[in-house]
Amino acid sequence: MTNTPNDAPDWRLLRYFSVVAEEGSLRRAAERLFMTQPPLSRHMKRLEDMLGMTLFIRHSTGLTLTEDGKAVLRVIGPVLTARQAANKRLLALAHTARSRNTQLNIGLTTAFEQGIFAVFAQRLHDLCPGKVRFARHGSPQLAQAVGRGKLDAALVALPLAAQGLRLHALAYEEPLLAALPAAWPEARAATLALRDLSGKPLFWFQRHSNPAFFDQTKNIFAAALFAPVLVDEPEEYDVLLARIAQGEGMGLLPRSFSAIGRNGVVFRQLEEGGLLRLRLGLALPGGADADAVETAKGSATERAILEAAGVFAA
C-alpha cells in the first residue's frame, strides 16, 4: 500500500531528513548515519513521495532545502529533540533498574568464625538493599571465584597468593590459638609454646591450597622447634572440632573460633601468638598491586563494598 499524507509520519525517515538538512550533503549524512549514500537517497525520495513535497534541491556541491523542506524541518525539529531527550531518560531509567536488580555476590572466608562478618553483612545490605548474596568458602577458592568473575569481591584471610587480583589488608586480625583435645595433659596449661606440642598430630592443610600461608607458617614452626605430625585437615570446621574432641589431633585456629564452645575441645594461647596471626583482607578484581584499591576509582558497587569493609577499621 502506498503511503499518503494522511498516514502517520515515518519518524525514522524524518530523522534521516533532519540529518541530511543539517549536513547539507547526502554523502556526509550517510556517513553520520552509518549507511551508504544510495539507500539514504532512496529514503529521501520515499519521504518526499509520502509528503507530496520536494524537500530539497540537489546540486553539484550538495543540496539546498526548499521552502517546504524548511517548513517540515521547523515542525519536526522540536519533536525530534523531545524524542531524543525521552530516549536518554528511558535509557537512564533502564540503567538504574538494572543496577537495582543486579545481584551482588560477595565471598566470606571460612578461615574465621562467621560471626565476625555480621556487622559487615548488615552494612552492605543497608547500602545495597535487596541484592546482596554471600558465598562462604576457603580463601583460595574465593580468590579464584573473584578472578573468574563469579564473585564481585571477597573477604579473605591473608597471607594469600592471588595473582591478578587487588588485595587490600583490612585492620582486623586474630592470633591463632591451639585447639586441643581436653584429655591431653597440655590442655591443662594456661599458655603453651609450640615446642611443647612437637610430635603431636596436627590437623593441617596441603601446601597447594594456600602456598603463601603454608610457607609462612612452615618458617615459624621451624624457628619455634615445632615438628608436628601433619594430618589432613577436614574442610568443615565442625568436623575438625569433632575430631579434635575425639582426641585424634589438635588444630591451630583463629581466636574467633574459641567463642563457639565445643565439649572436649580446649583453646589455649601460644607464646608465638604474635607471629601466628591471620589477617582479614579484601579481594577485588583486577590488578596486582596490593594497595591499588586505595587509589582506584571504583564503581559505585565497589565503593559500597569498601565502605562496608570499613567496619573492620581499628
Side-chain angles (χ1 to χ4, degrees), residues 56 59 85 243 256 274 277 282:
F56 46 77
H59 48 76
R243 295 183 65 181
S256 55
R277 305 185 73 84
L282 177 64

Side-chain angles (χ1 to χ4, degrees), residues 159-179:
L160 176 68
Q163 187 175 5
L165 300 183
R166 285 177 287 146
L167 284 180
H168 176 55
L170 300 175
Y172 181 87
E173 62 180 6
E174 294 183 13
L176 298 187
L177 304 183

Side-chain angles (χ1 to χ4, degrees), residues 15 18-35 40 84:
R15 184 175 68 85
S18 71
V19 175
V20 172
E22 185 177 335
E23 293 293 339
S25 164
L26 283 169
R27 178 185 59 80
R28 290 195 300 271
E31 292 174 353
R32 182 171 156 186
L33 293 166
F34 300 100
M35 67 174 67
L40 179 58
Q84 185 178 19

Side-chain angles (χ1 to χ4, degrees):
M1 178 182 295
T2 302
N3 287 336
T4 71
N6 291 325
D7 292 324
D10 187 330
W11 285 100
R12 180 176 63 96
L13 298 183
L14 289 169
R15 184 175 68 85
Y16 291 169
F17 167 65
S18 71
V19 175
V20 172
E22 185 177 335
E23 293 293 339
S25 164
L26 283 169
R27 178 185 59 80
R28 290 195 300 271
E31 292 174 353
R32 182 171 156 186
L33 293 166
F34 300 100
M35 67 174 67
T36 59
Q37 185 172 333
L40 179 58
S41 182
R42 290 194 296 271
H43 288 321
M44 292 302 94
K45 180 63 170 64
R46 180 172 174 234
L47 180 61
E48 288 180 323
D49 291 343
M50 290 175 63
L51 297 174
M53 301 176 182
T54 299
L55 299 176
F56 46 77
I57 300 172
R58 297 172 178 82
H59 48 76
S60 58
T61 58
L63 53 84
T64 302
L65 289 180
T66 63
E67 291 303 316
D68 284 341
K70 293 177 183 178
V72 170
L73 191 61
R74 286 193 295 270
V75 171
I76 69 172
V79 179
L80 291 174
T81 300
R83 287 166 65 95
Q84 185 178 19
N87 285 337
K88 288 182 178 179
R89 292 184 64 183
L90 287 172
L91 288 173
L93 286 173
H95 176 74
T96 301
R98 285 194 300 270
S99 299
R100 183 173 58 247
N101 296 325
T102 298
Q103 186 76 48
L104 183 60
N105 297 302
I106 304 296
L108 301 177
T109 179
T110 53
F112 297 92
E113 198 280 317
Q114 294 301 292
I116 73 164
F117 300 121
V119 177
F120 166 79
Q122 184 58 57
R123 180 60 179 150
L124 196 55
H125 276 302
D126 292 341
L127 292 169
C128 307
K131 69 173 191 175
V132 185
R133 184 182 70 86
F134 294 103
R136 292 169 171 81
H137 295 287
S139 296
Q141 294 94 323
L142 293 178
Q144 291 178 1
V146 174
R148 294 172 182 170
K150 294 182 178 180
L151 291 175
D152 298 289
L155 291 177
V156 296
L158 302 179
L160 176 68
Q163 187 175 5
L165 300 183
R166 285 177 287 146
L167 284 180
H168 176 55
L170 300 175
Y172 181 87
E173 62 180 6
E174 294 183 13
L176 298 187
L177 304 183
L180 307 174
W184 282 12
E186 293 83 1
R188 293 192 289 271
T191 60
L192 292 166
L194 283 175
R195 63 179 176 275
D196 298 330
L197 300 167
S198 192
K200 296 281 189 177
L202 170 68
F203 290 109
W204 206 236
F205 57 95
Q206 297 289 330
R207 183 183 185 278
H208 64 80
S209 66
N210 193 345
F213 187 49
F214 185 95
D215 291 343
Q216 182 188 76
T217 53
K218 180 180 179 181
N219 292 332
I220 295 172
F221 291 173
L225 303 178
F226 178 48
V229 177
L230 299 183
V231 181
D232 284 344
E233 184 179 65
E235 292 186 6
E236 298 81 11
Y237 278 94
D238 57 340
V239 175
L240 171 61
L241 292 174
R243 295 183 65 181
I244 294 174
Q246 291 170 8
E248 296 181 30
M250 61 182 169
L252 294 176
L253 301 178
R255 181 177 54 201
S256 55
F257 281 98
S258 64
I260 297 176
R262 181 68 181 250
N263 290 334
V265 178
V266 175
F267 287 87
R268 291 291 179 259
Q269 293 184 359
L270 292 165
E271 290 182 4
E272 295 82 4
L275 298 175
L276 282 172
R277 305 185 73 84
L278 209 56
R279 189 164 191 178
L280 188 64
L282 177 64
L284 292 164
D289 185 350
D291 294 318
V293 66
E294 294 190 357
T295 56
K297 294 182 179 179
S299 65
T301 296
E302 185 171 301
R303 290 194 297 272
I305 296 169
L306 288 167
E307 183 176 342
V311 301
F312 294 106

